[in-house]
Structure formats: structure tokens, C-alpha cells
Amino acid sequence: MPHFLDINKTAPADLRAMIDQAAAMKTDRTGRPKGAPDDDQPLAGRMVALIFEKPSTRTRVSFDVGVRQMGGQTMVLTGSEMQLGHGETIADTARVLSRYVDLIMIRTFEEDVLLEMSDHASVPVVNGLTNRTHPCQIMADILTFEEHRGPIAGKKVVWCGDGNNVFASLAHAAGQFGFDLTFSGPPTLDPERLFLDEARTKGVTVTIERDPARAVAGADLVVTDTWVSMHDSQTTRERRHNQLRPYQVNEALMAQAKPDALFMHCLPAHRNEEVTDAVMDGPQSVVFDEAENRLHAQKAILRWCLGV
Ligand code: CP
């Protein structure tokens, strides 16, 4: 079953084909490849369930629009509306949904929920974010980098801040797409070693550099994310702010990277916390291209999953 669960679980050739197809579909607002007929609707007759146990703007809207552009239909479900893991097991929910829909996209908290869903679904399952990884975001980021700067293989990517779920998928991508990756953040917020070690086994250089200015030297791309999550307490927020303040991406830090380095953020951003307005709105920022590219990258992921 062609589930899209994580970037490291998908073959590099398939990932490359998805990025190339996404670029081809990004020709105009209809989302059809150049030269495709007006009635090109690869998802015609398909129903996609979009399950959200956590809030979302980009993921929700981009999947919904993407499915509709390709002629399919969507059903958006929230955790509170369903019996997910409460009234019945995740496995039984997966079996039932598989009788109604052609694909399940799920955003959830624990990775185990995603894995139980995919183990028991008889239709493809797509990871729309868990506490551990966010592969759809990083596919959009690869597409964004390459449309601005060409192949990402061999480039230097630097992450500043919290070693979170988005970083984890970036580390997966480093191994699969062949770029070097530096993590720069406080030791208390290091990513799991596993993510770094796995990328290294694929022949790329992965480093931890505590000094953010040294980390971004020679960078082709600087990436960050919010310092706190919605569910963090006030005490946790203050502690994280104190730890992460030296890793803010501002103009002084970007000046240490290559002159043509890009800046990315998966959004939503907390402006003037992890990134300043000057960088977010500056000439090196491609954050809104990234947001748009969620749509195009995910359409290619859906087509790969469904074989259409
Ligand atoms: N970047 C991202 O996943 O955004 P949403 O949480 O709004 O979906």
C-alpha cells in the first residue's frame, strides 16, 4: 500500500518524481500540467477523508483545494467529531473509513495513531503532521528551494531553533535528497539523535553547531519554526523563549549566510520572536511560496498514493 508516512520511508526516485510532477502541475491556478486538457481530472470519482485532531490553516485548505482541482471530493473531519481512539480503536476506524473513502490524510498528535491507521487501512494514508514529523511540509520546501535555486543536492541547509517535528522531516530529506544539514539550537532542544544518524548513513554531512552565526556561514538556506506550541504552558513558553532567543533569525544572522541564501518558515510565524519582520518580509524570504507549494507538492503526493 503506497502510504506517504515519512520522507525516509519513501524511495528517493519516488520523491524526485513527486517534486518534478508538482513543479509541472504548478503552471496556473487550475493546477493542470502545461498542455493538459481542460477535463484532466485524475481524482475524478475519488473521495478523500481529511482528519484533523489539531488545528490547521495551510494543511487543511491546501489538501482540500488540491483534491478538488484534480476532480476529487473531500470530507473534512475533526477528532472531536469522530470516535477516533475513544469509542473504538484506531484500527477499527481505519477499517471502516477504508470502506467509504479512497485515501485518508490524518493530522494527529502521536505517531502511533498514524501508524495504527496505516497498518489497518486498505487505502493509502498520508501523514499531515504528527508530534514527530511533518513530511508534506518538507516536500513543499524542497519544491520551493529548487524552483528558486535549482537542485538542492549538495547545498547547505541550516535549521535555527527547536529540534522539532519539522526539523525531523528536514533531516529525513537531507538523506533522501542529498543535502548537508546543520542544526543550531540549545542542547535542551536537540532533535532525536536517530534523525541525524540516519541522514549521515546516507552520506550527507549533518552537524550540530551551537553558535548560530558560525552555523549559517556558507548556508544556501536558513530555516526556522515557532518556539512554542499552542498547548505549551506559560512557564514552558518563558523557558523556551529564554533558551531560543540567541537563535532568532534576524538581518544580522542572515548576513552571515551566503548573499543569495533563502529564508524559509513553515508558518504560522510568531513575528519578531523566532524571525524578525525584516527577514520575513525581506528579499531572501520565500515563506509564501512555501505555503503555496503545499498545494502543488501534496497534489503530487496524492497522485503517487493513488497511482493516477
Ligand atoms: N505549516 C503548516 O502545517 O501549517 P498549518 O498548521 O496551518 O496546517
Side-chain angles (χ1 to χ4, degrees), residues 19-41:
I19 296 293
D20 292 346
Q21 186 173 50
M25 284 190 288
K26 190 183 174 178
T27 52
D28 61 29
R29 285 188 82 83
T30 68
R32 280 188 284 276
K34 202 173 179 61
D38 288 351
D39 61 354
D40 180 44
Q41 298 212 306

Side-chain angles (χ1 to χ4, degrees), residues 77-119:
L77 303 160
T78 62
S80 59
E81 289 167 347
M82 301 180 69
Q83 310 269 25
L84 202 63
H86 306 298
E88 69 183 354
T89 65
I90 304 296
D92 284 348
T93 301
R95 293 182 183 109
V96 170
L97 288 181
S98 299
R99 302 292 179 106
Y100 302 135
V101 304
D102 300 289
L103 184 144
I104 300 165
M105 191 291 307
I106 180 166
R107 165 170 287 198
T108 186
F109 293 88
E110 301 305 326
E111 185 179 46
D112 285 351
V113 172
L114 172 77
L115 298 180
E116 190 173 345
M117 183 74 77
S118 59
D119 280 349

Side-chain angles (χ1 to χ4, degrees), residues 82-203:
M82 301 180 69
Q83 310 269 25
L84 202 63
H86 306 298
E88 69 183 354
T89 65
I90 304 296
D92 284 348
T93 301
R95 293 182 183 109
V96 170
L97 288 181
S98 299
R99 302 292 179 106
Y100 302 135
V101 304
D102 300 289
L103 184 144
I104 300 165
M105 191 291 307
I106 180 166
R107 165 170 287 198
T108 186
F109 293 88
E110 301 305 326
E111 185 179 46
D112 285 351
V113 172
L114 172 77
L115 298 180
E116 190 173 345
M117 183 74 77
S118 59
D119 280 349
H120 297 280
S122 54
V123 298
V125 173
V126 174
N127 176 0
L129 177 144
T130 69
N131 288 352
R132 199 143 187 271
T133 59
H134 196 2
C136 291
Q137 178 64 53
I138 296 302
M139 290 295 281
D141 291 4
I142 302 294
L143 175 63
T144 307
F145 184 89
E146 295 199 338
E147 72 185 9
H148 284 276
R149 294 286 182 268
I152 197 165
K155 301 292 187 190
K156 176 179 176 178
V157 177
V158 179
W159 176 276
C160 288
D162 179 12
N164 65 10
N165 52 352
V166 183
F167 174 82
S169 287
L170 188 63
H172 285 157
Q176 300 292 68
F177 287 92
F179 57 85
D180 295 336
L181 180 61
T182 299
F183 171 80
S184 191
T188 46
L189 296 173
D190 270 352
E192 282 178 47
R193 287 304 289 211
L194 176 70
F195 296 123
L196 309 182
D197 291 342
E198 186 186 330
R200 288 182 182 121
T201 65
K202 296 181 178 171

Side-chain angles (χ1 to χ4, degrees), residues 241-303:
H241 272 245
N242 290 335
Q243 292 172 336
L244 287 161
R245 200 161 288 121
Y247 298 94
Q248 182 192 63
V249 181
N250 50 40
E251 284 177 298
L253 189 66
M254 285 302 291
Q256 305 296 318
K258 280 186 180 168
D260 67 345
L262 297 176
F263 169 74
M264 289 192 194
H265 188 309
C266 65
L267 307 181
H270 292 182
R271 284 170 173 264
N272 300 310
E273 291 183 8
E274 72 273 7
V275 57
T276 58
D277 280 340
V279 172
M280 268 280 284
D281 301 326
Q284 290 165 286
S285 173
V286 289
V287 298
F288 297 108
D289 291 340
E290 263 186 285
E292 177 186 338
N293 282 340
R294 293 293 303 276
L295 170 65
H296 309 296
Q298 289 160 190
K299 284 167 67 179
I301 292 167
L302 291 167
R303 293 187 71 162

